[in-house]
Amino acid sequence: MLQLPTYDDVSAAARRLHGLAHRTPVLRSATADRLLKAQVFFKCENLQRMGAFKFRGAFNALSQFTSEQRKAGVITFSSGNHAQAIALAARLLGIPATILMPLDAPQAKMEATRGYGGEVITFDRYTQDREALARQLLSDRGLTLIPPYDHPHVIAGQGTAAMELLEDTGPLDVMFVPLGGGGLLSGSALAVRALAPQCKLYGVEPEAGDDGQQSLRKGEIVHIPTPSTLADGAQTQHLGEYTFGVIRRDVQDIVTATDAQLVDAMRFFAERMKLVVEPTGCLGFAAACHAGLPLEGKRVGVMLSGGNVDLARFAQLIGSQGWA
Ligand SMILES: *Cc1c(COP(=O)(O)O)cnc(C)c1O
């Protein structure tokens, strides 16, 4: 039996993160309220350090390393926000960080990760097996692997964002949270269960990658090929053991959003709220607008999970009309 993380782990994470992670603002928009005929509260993790909530989980995990683990260092494989989160958290804690990235990862992401002090090791994703490479580095160098979502310390750290949201707003009726591998959603579920048990929590994944929804329906973790979607932070192929354990117990349902709906939401945030939100960060609001759930008169929380999007790409997406 897996030992699932609990709300106590989330509050312990909050104490570790105090003064190190930003307490991001909760913003309102009269237009959003009017659109949804509800009171909408946006938790702005696009304004978190390194631009996404992932700093929370990475720092919470690394700060619990033993002195031997600290000396040897951490390794992870990711080309996205988790890589930058590990690199930044490791730098703050004086822990060496090794990040495996595919050779063809965006240059900007590699630079950002190196900029935070991480050692980037590239591999050819067509000819090399990253798991085998990671295992080799793990044993050669005695490194500790911190995966992007399926780890109790990562989950507990991610849960602090929803915890802060509920502390700031008081009870909510509904909350929407973006879903990739489920670290953010399962952590949020622990906070909701403890602080607002009557609140209905929805995970939102890209329509092209609905493995989470399938898993919930089937009662077991469903694997899919890497989905093609603008939501690159949610291009996961399956949930984790820990994340699914919490999600199946505490989450009301999992719904989906299309890429076109994500672009509309990106444009809304830029135009109406002057916020840069990356496509994956828009999943929650896209579902609030389009998933057909009854929100009228309700108090609705929406997690904006991140804001890391290449500006040329951002301009191209929000500038296009009738995106298909
Ligand atoms: C990683 C990420 C997600 C998905 O988080 P999981 O914990 O994998 O479900 C959502 N939004 C952004 C911006 C991310 O970086």
Side-chain angles (χ1 to χ4, degrees):
M1 268 301 281
L2 284 184
Q3 185 77 36
L4 296 178
T6 66
Y7 178 68
D8 283 346
D9 298 315
V10 179
S11 34
R15 287 191 293 275
R16 291 186 194 101
L17 286 165
H18 186 79
L20 285 153
H22 296 317
R23 186 174 183 109
T24 53
V26 175
L27 299 183
R28 307 287 312 271
S29 153
T31 313
D33 285 1
R34 202 166 54 241
L35 274 172
L36 296 180
K37 301 191 177 71
Q39 281 178 274
V40 190
F41 301 87
F42 296 99
K43 175 64 172 169
C44 294
E45 285 295 294
N46 57 318
L47 304 176
Q48 185 50 265
R49 291 184 82 163
M50 56 62 56
F53 70 92
K54 284 211 174 64
F55 176 70
R56 297 173 181 269
F59 188 88
N60 187 47
L62 265 56
S63 63
Q64 292 177 76
F65 273 22
T66 64
S67 56
E68 290 84 65
Q69 286 178 306
R70 283 179 188 241
K71 224 175 290 157
V74 60
I75 183 169
T76 197
F77 36 79
S78 161
S79 49
N81 288 333
H82 179 65
Q84 291 172 60
I86 288 285
L88 174 59
R91 192 187 70 191
L92 294 172
L93 291 162
I95 297 173
T98 307
I99 321 284
L100 279 177
M101 282 193 178
L103 269 171
D104 53 352
Q107 201 62 31
K109 297 229 158 151
M110 271 194 216
E111 289 314 316
T113 306
R114 287 201 181 99
Y116 289 125
E119 181 191 351
V120 175
I121 297 186
T122 53
F123 66 97
D124 183 341
R125 65 165 124 197
Y126 302 103
T127 62
Q128 283 179 295
D129 175 5
R130 74 173 187 184
E131 312 261 342
L133 200 59
R135 269 198 304 277
Q136 189 192 329
L137 284 162
L138 222 76
S139 61
D140 288 357
R141 302 187 184 183
L143 307 177
T144 303
L145 173 70
I146 297 296
Y149 52 87
D150 205 26
H151 189 296
H153 299 169
V154 172
I155 293 169
Q158 319 303 34
T160 59
M163 174 187 171
E164 289 174 5
L165 171 59
L166 289 164
E167 283 173 355
D168 287 4
T169 61
L172 294 172
D173 301 306
V174 185
M175 191 188 297
F176 291 96
V177 173
L179 169 61
L184 182 62
L185 181 60
S186 55
S188 302
L190 299 175
V192 167
R193 180 185 165 90
L195 300 177
Q198 71 299 336
C199 174
K200 292 193 165 103
L201 175 61
Y202 291 92
V204 188
E205 55 188 0
E207 185 179 74
D210 65 348
D211 60 287
Q213 190 180 61
Q214 291 186 44
S215 301
L216 210 55
R217 304 279 184 273
K218 218 172 161 202
E220 64 186 45
I221 299 171
V222 172
H223 291 240
I224 59 166
T226 301
S228 168
T229 168
L230 282 178
D232 56 344
Q235 267 181 321
T236 39
Q237 294 173 267
H238 56 86
L239 300 178
E241 301 282 342
Y242 289 99
T243 59
F244 184 59
V246 175
I247 288 169
R248 70 187 307 186
R249 184 189 66 192
D250 293 337
V251 168
Q252 183 74 24
D253 202 3
I254 295 174
V255 296
T256 63
T258 66
D259 280 5
Q261 290 165 354
L262 297 180
V263 173
D264 283 345
M266 266 172 98
R267 194 179 293 116
F268 173 88
F269 290 125
E271 198 168 73
R272 300 297 175 142
M273 297 179 73
K274 319 304 166 195
L275 290 174
V276 174
V277 185
E278 65 183 274
T280 315
C282 292
L283 282 164
F285 189 56
C289 294
H290 301 289
L293 294 164
L295 302 178
E296 199 169 326
K298 302 258 163 78
R299 291 164 56 81
V300 179
V302 175
M303 186 67 70
L304 306 187
S305 53
N308 290 330
V309 50
D310 177 80
L311 274 190
R313 179 89 176 118
F314 179 76
Q316 182 196 18
L317 287 172
I318 64 168
S320 59
Q321 290 298 330
W323 198 89

